[in-house]
Amino acid sequence: MTDDEVTDDTSARSGLSRRGLLGLAGLGAGVLGAGIGVGADRAVQASATGSSGAQATYPFYGKHQSGIVTAAQDRLHFAAFDVSEGTTRDDLVGLLKDWSYAAARMTRGEEVSKSGATGGSLYAPPDDTGEALGLPAAGLTITIGFGPSLFDDRFGLASKRPPRLIDLPSFAGDNLDDAMSGGDLCIQACSDDPQIAVHAIRNLSRIAFGRAGLRWSQLGFGRTSSTTRGQATPRNLFGFKDGTANLKAEDSALVAKDVWASASHGADWMDGGSYLVSRKIRMQIETWDHQSLKEQQTVVGRDKGAGAPLSGGTEFSAIDFHAKRDGAPAVPTTSHVSLAHPDHNGGAQLLRRGYNFVDGNDSLGRLNAGLFFICYQNDPENQFVRIQTALAANDAMNEYVQHVSSGIFAVPPGASRGGYVGETLFA
């Protein structure tokens, strides 16, 4: 158990706000449907236990938000939102309270409200969409973040923008889609059941109706990194083990040094939080698949089977950058592992939580597939930006990948029991 995984408890809040109920009903601010709220005292709770083997539950409340060092689940639904025009600061706080209330329930395997999918009025839309009825929580975590644009002049937050919540620079080779980048708010929903992750984002989007709208979202499958030592290293769509050298939850000293923000970093309210960077990376699958095994391993810098570095050893052997083969570095200086390694980036490390994605195919019949990269750190300028600058300039893998979406978000500390994510910002 990591220090963000403390015992959870029932929220002190009695339920969703009136605005949250309006959102679930698909109504804007104004008229409250006649039947909404009827039967709100009737709890209809999905079981959080069962026999499917997907019974893990993680607490919503704690020092840190779950979903960062939590053992990476197998599925992802990530969503970015823009706050709607006319939404006030109080409305925004209300939204965060409603999201936190519903998220706490869903991570326990419950519906978004007590009346849920079937316990409300027959004459109003149900509070919960219902597709998760009967399913366990499946390790659901819901992690909420704030984009740089939230700190403009709309909500009086400009002076609270953390100095480490930078605007990401443009990198060589970027081909970003603005419509699939950025956002005022983000939610990362991870679960071992894709239907649970989708249910979470779907219902949180409904709750936001009238206060924030979905800007873009991304589904992911097959985690591409391990965040605990108990997990095997997964493979990405290039067929290689990915994230062998990732930070692990058990590396508590390194996690404290490189992942968690502290008050000394310039924003008291972020103490215990972190910074999330997302990058959607399109992989040129068909081109890659035509390359020889030698070429693929030279690009990555590791053996494709065992994942060992080309300097020798096993998957977790330290990379020997001085080793030679035929008079040249055994691990090429332009290989991905060399350029991303902490030894070549001033010691910079990241905690990665990426996922594979396949979004159908393009007009040329090629798979629209790749990696939805997510990483956490406490200093994006000196961690992600430093590493990505080196990769963008010289990585041999650039011939086979293209970055098409980008985002950065301040992920505040976990909510106090019965409180809400962002309470330290608005205190």
Side-chain angles (χ1 to χ4, degrees), residues 131-398:
E131 69 269 32
L133 279 175
L135 298 177
L140 175 67
T141 55
I142 295 172
T143 313
I144 299 171
F146 305 149
S149 56
L150 193 70
F151 297 87
D152 58 17
D153 59 0
R154 289 173 292 172
F155 310 109
L157 298 175
S159 64
K160 296 287 190 73
R161 178 172 174 170
R164 295 192 174 188
L165 182 62
I166 60 172
D167 293 315
L168 292 177
S170 296
F171 298 99
D174 277 0
N175 185 22
L176 304 182
D177 180 353
D178 288 341
M180 282 289 294
S181 299
D184 292 333
L185 304 162
C186 79
I187 300 177
Q188 171 198 280
C190 298
S191 173
D192 289 316
D193 184 333
Q195 188 142 321
I196 293 295
V198 169
H199 170 263
I201 293 298
R202 178 183 178 186
N203 282 273
L204 294 173
S205 298
R206 292 179 72 221
I207 290 171
F209 185 81
R211 292 177 286 185
L214 195 60
R215 178 180 175 89
W216 58 273
S217 73
Q218 182 64 52
L219 293 171
F221 67 94
R223 61 180 174 81
T224 60
S225 59
S226 302
T227 53
T228 69
R229 299 201 183 285
Q231 296 181 302
T233 308
R235 294 182 185 271
N236 58 33
L237 294 184
F238 281 161
F240 279 76
K241 291 188 175 183
D242 202 342
T244 293
N246 196 30
L247 284 175
K248 303 292 195 296
E250 294 87 347
D251 303 326
S252 54
L254 288 174
V255 169
K257 179 176 77 70
D258 292 326
V259 177
W260 301 130
S262 76
S264 65
H265 297 160
D268 291 352
W269 67 269
M270 275 292 290
D271 189 52
S274 190
Y275 295 91
L276 180 162
V277 172
S278 67
R279 302 283 286 185
K280 185 175 181 178
I281 305 170
R282 171 96 183 260
M283 291 176 165
Q284 306 302 328
I285 298 289
E286 291 78 7
T287 305
W288 178 263
D289 289 347
H290 284 87
Q291 305 309 308
S292 68
L293 177 59
K294 181 179 180 180
E295 166 67 8
Q296 292 182 1
Q297 293 185 153
T298 299
V299 168
V300 174
R302 288 185 180 275
D303 167 80
K304 191 169 187 176
L310 296 184
S311 56
T314 61
E315 179 188 353
F316 296 104
S317 297
I319 302 176
D320 182 358
F321 292 109
H322 301 291
K324 300 285 186 180
R325 182 171 298 167
D326 299 328
V331 179
T333 56
T334 58
S335 66
H336 188 76
V337 297
S338 178
L339 289 164
H341 198 277
D343 286 358
H344 299 155
N345 291 284
Q349 298 187 80
L350 304 166
L351 189 147
R352 300 173 54 179
R353 288 187 66 95
Y355 288 84
N356 299 315
F357 74 86
V358 176
D359 294 343
N361 58 275
D362 62 20
S363 59
L364 298 178
R366 301 173 301 188
L367 283 177
N368 183 358
L371 168 67
F372 189 72
F373 175 91
I374 296 173
C375 67
Y376 287 91
Q377 65 254 272
N378 60 26
D379 189 356
E381 178 80 53
N382 289 305
Q383 291 175 265
F384 172 77
V385 171
R386 178 166 187 161
I387 296 170
Q388 182 54 30
T389 298
L391 291 171
N394 296 304
D395 190 359
M397 191 176 288
N398 291 338

Side-chain angles (χ1 to χ4, degrees), residues 399-417:
E399 184 176 349
Y400 308 100
V401 299
Q402 187 172 61
H403 291 232
V404 297
S405 164
S406 180
I408 182 170
F409 301 90
V411 176
S416 61
R417 189 159 296 135

